Amino acid sequence: MQSETHGHFFEQCFEDMKPRLKKSVLVIDTSHISMCAEYYQQPRKKYKWMRYINKNFNKIPKSLESFEYFLELSREKIFWFHLSEATGFEGKDEGKEIGTPNGLIDWKWLEQFIQILENEGKKVYGVIEIVDSHKDYSKIQKSIKHLKKYYPGMI
């Protein structure tokens, strides 16, 4: 049974939060944003927040359709990234090492997106944030190694 307590799946809707941001900036948690996009790819009547979207919006907001749409729509507000992989939309699927098989994130696209932001003169910062890495630092080391090998523009 899938959890019905994932209210954060709607809280990640940029169209909903944008009016409240004003001069604030965003910290993008790559794992959470990709999980939200994955959640909204599921059958629309199956989960609580799908029913809320259907009732109140009659469609999925653009920022929840994909990881890439969220970043494109929020690009002016992005300041910081928490970098980690996700492999699904349940809590157990978040905060995975970068390079985990069957990950949801298109890291090549993200590398190119960050490069575009930097070419536009935007300073972009980030930190690798892997679940339980404070207990096992090798998870961070593996993620750094993967980024350096395949996505050197992100290091």
Side-chain angles (χ1 to χ4, degrees):
M1 172 92 182
Q2 304 298 331
S3 173
E4 287 289 342
T5 61
H6 289 139
H8 73 272
F9 285 124
F10 186 70
E11 293 168 5
Q12 302 291 326
C13 176
F14 185 71
E15 293 87 343
D16 181 59
M17 70 174 80
K18 184 178 179 181
R20 296 187 307 274
L21 288 174
K22 298 180 181 157
K23 294 184 180 181
S24 299
V25 294
L26 286 176
V27 175
I28 300 293
D29 186 306
T30 56
S31 183
H32 289 172
I33 299 302
S34 62
M35 289 170 68
C36 289
E38 179 69 11
Y39 179 82
Y40 284 101
Q41 299 304 311
Q42 305 306 309
R44 292 188 73 190
K45 294 183 180 184
K46 190 172 182 181
Y47 301 102
K48 176 181 176 181
W49 292 104
M50 298 289 197
R51 295 189 297 270
Y52 178 83
I53 291 288
N54 285 338
K55 180 180 176 186
N56 294 286
F57 291 88
N58 206 24
K59 65 178 184 173
I60 297 172
K62 203 71 165 163
S63 69
L64 296 174
E65 286 182 15
S66 75
F67 176 78
E68 294 83 4
Y69 278 139
F70 186 95
L71 293 183
E72 287 290 350
L73 291 170
S74 64
R75 71 187 297 143
E76 293 176 11
K77 297 290 186 178
I78 295 172
F79 178 70
W80 191 267
F81 284 91
H82 286 179
L83 300 168
S84 64
E85 184 62 85
T87 55
F89 62 88
E90 288 292 320
K92 65 181 175 52
D93 302 319
E94 71 175 309
K96 304 287 186 183
E97 293 172 26
I98 297 167
T100 297
N102 302 314
L104 300 175
I105 298 169
D106 180 345
W107 291 95
K108 183 49 115 181
W109 183 92
L110 182 58
E111 177 187 39
Q112 292 168 348
F113 179 77
I114 290 171
Q115 187 63 54
I116 289 168
L117 293 178
E118 290 176 345
N119 289 345
E120 293 171 350
K122 189 170 189 73
K123 288 273 192 190
V124 181
Y125 303 93
V127 64
I128 296 174
E129 185 182 60
I130 309 299
V131 170
D132 291 331
S133 61
H134 64 289
K135 297 176 188 174
D136 181 1
Y137 189 72
S138 71
K139 294 178 178 187
I140 299 288
Q141 292 170 320
K142 289 176 192 171
S143 293
I144 291 170
K145 185 177 179 180
H146 188 83
L147 287 174
K148 280 184 176 179
K149 182 175 182 179
Y150 297 104
Y151 313 105
M154 293 182 68
I155 297 288

